[in-house]
């Protein structure tokens, strides 16, 4: 059941070493968009641990699904994979890091494999202005632009006058 105001993001991927940092950046972007900035470091670290476990135990070609959901009071992240064994909490392992970073966590067997999830309490979204921030100044702006020198009136050169140009000299005499 999805309640009004629920926010949810799901992505399916292969748990290759290259994809883990990409998914971490995508999760961080969604959390920031949802104004959950204080949760970015811990959620991204825990999701990274879960994806690394899939990569380590099932291989880089293992298909998995990452889901993050915020119901207003709780932020839940889950990684589903097709691996048969349910993981155990071992000291110093990836799940101990997930347990330390979350308010609760757990595993659940599915028809296709398992889901490992964790939650964090959300007090409220960070209030940030909807208007875009003032853009950063570029390097030339920061250093300053060279001032353009004002145009000084100058005397015309002889070839620029009617009398100084041999082709137009007869016209100058007529004036």
């Amino acid at each position: 059941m999805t309640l009004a105001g629920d926010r949810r993001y799901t992505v399916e991927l292969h748990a290759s070493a290259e994809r883990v940092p990409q998914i971490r950046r995508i999760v961080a972007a969604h959390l920031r968009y949802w104004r959950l900035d204080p949760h970015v470091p811990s959620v991204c670290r825990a999701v990274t641990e879960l994806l690394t476990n899939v990569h380590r135990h099932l291989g880089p070609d293992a298909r998995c699904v990452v889901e993050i959901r915020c119901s207003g009071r709780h932020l839940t992240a889950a990684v589903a994979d097709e691996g048969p064994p349910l993981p155990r909490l071992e000291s110093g392992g990836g799940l101990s890091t997930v347990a330390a970073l979350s308010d609760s966590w757990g595993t659940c067997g599915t028809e296709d494999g398992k889901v490992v999830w964790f939650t964090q309490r959300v007090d409220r979204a960070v209030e940030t202005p909807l208007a875009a921030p003032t853009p950063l100044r570029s390097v030339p702006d920061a250093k300053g632009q060279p001032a353009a020198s004002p145009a000084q009136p100058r005397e015309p050169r002889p070839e620029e006058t009617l009398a100084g140009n041999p082709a137009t000299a007869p016209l100058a005499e007529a004036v």
Side-chain angles (χ1 to χ4, degrees), residues 4 7 10 31 33 39 55 67-68 79 82 86-87 102 108 114 119 127-128 130 144 147 169:
R7 295 177 216 127
T10 304
L31 294 175
Y33 181 73
H39 297 274
H55 176 77
E67 179 179 7
I68 54 174
V79 175
E82 297 171 345
L86 290 177
S102 62
C108 176
K114 67 182 172 298
T119 64
E127 294 299 323
T128 55
L130 294 177

Side-chain angles (χ1 to χ4, degrees), residues 4-174:
D6 272 6
R7 295 177 216 127
R8 179 177 176 226
Y9 173 74
T10 304
V11 61
E12 184 176 333
L13 65 137
H14 290 278
S16 65
E18 300 83 30
R19 293 291 288 159
V20 173
Q22 294 170 346
I23 297 302
R24 184 175 51 237
R25 287 190 298 272
I26 291 169
V27 168
H30 279 278
L31 294 175
R32 287 186 184 104
Y33 181 73
W34 296 343
R35 298 181 179 170
L36 298 171
D37 299 51
H39 297 274
V40 169
S42 58
V43 170
C44 288
R45 172 88 187 274
V47 167
T48 298
E49 289 293 336
L50 295 178
L51 288 174
T52 301
N53 283 349
V54 173
H55 176 77
R56 182 180 302 126
H57 298 293
L58 301 178
D61 293 329
R63 189 183 66 82
C64 63
V65 176
V66 175
E67 179 179 7
I68 54 174
R69 180 182 293 217
C70 185
S71 62
R73 299 184 86 180
H74 292 93
L75 175 62
T76 303
V79 175
D81 64 50
E82 297 171 345
L86 290 177
R88 293 188 322 257
L89 182 62
E90 298 173 6
S91 69
L95 282 181
S96 63
T97 301
V98 172
L101 294 171
S102 62
D103 293 321
S104 62
W105 72 277
T107 62
C108 176
T110 65
E111 284 183 19
D112 301 328
K114 67 182 172 298
V115 176
V116 181
W117 55 268
F118 65 91
T119 64
Q120 291 184 353
R121 277 184 230 99
V122 175
D123 292 330
R124 65 184 176 94
V126 175
E127 294 299 323
T128 55
L130 294 177
T134 304
L136 297 174
R137 293 173 31 174
S138 68
V139 173
D141 290 340
K143 289 184 176 180
Q145 295 289 334
S149 58
Q152 297 288 331
R154 62 177 178 82
E155 292 293 321
R157 291 185 222 142
E159 62 272 6
E160 295 175 337
T161 63
L162 291 177
N165 188 338
T168 57
L171 294 174
E173 291 172 6

